Amino acid sequence: GGAELYATALPHADEMHVTEVPSEPAGDTLFPAFDRNDWIEVARRPGAPGADGQPACQYVTLRRARSAAGAIPGPRSTPRVVPRTAFPR
């Protein structure tokens, strides 16, 4: 399923596009835990509030602080993980 795919890809990702949701929506696919200190936030933009009074989300781009070679990854680093699920702050 999706959680297994995220867990497998995360160690290889240099950049993530994450949707932070300030609630806990129902669902059984969760993004795996990761050390936020290993990532640099390079962009954040607010989303609009959802239908039925749902709170606004935040679209966040994270870039791995250092690649395996020790260089800071560039903006076109691959593979990318694009989770669209609840994200704890």
Side-chain angles (χ1 to χ4, degrees):
E4 186 176 329
L5 177 64
Y6 294 148
T8 300
L10 185 58
H12 306 284
D14 291 328
E15 188 171 285
M16 293 193 284
H17 298 271
V18 179
T19 303
E20 291 183 348
V21 180
S23 63
E24 294 185 26
D28 61 358
T29 300
L30 301 174
F31 195 73
F34 64 94
D35 188 344
R36 187 76 181 233
N37 293 320
D38 291 341
W39 298 86
I40 298 168
E41 184 175 311
V42 296
R44 176 180 290 268
R45 67 181 177 84
D52 301 327
Q54 296 175 4
C57 63
Q58 296 282 317
Y59 300 107
V60 182
T61 301
L62 300 172
R63 191 165 299 142
R64 193 175 295 278
R66 297 274 174 196
S67 69
I72 296 175
R76 300 279 182 203
S77 298
T78 56
R80 291 190 174 155
V81 176
V82 185
R84 297 286 186 226
T85 185
F87 182 82
R89 287 188 146 255

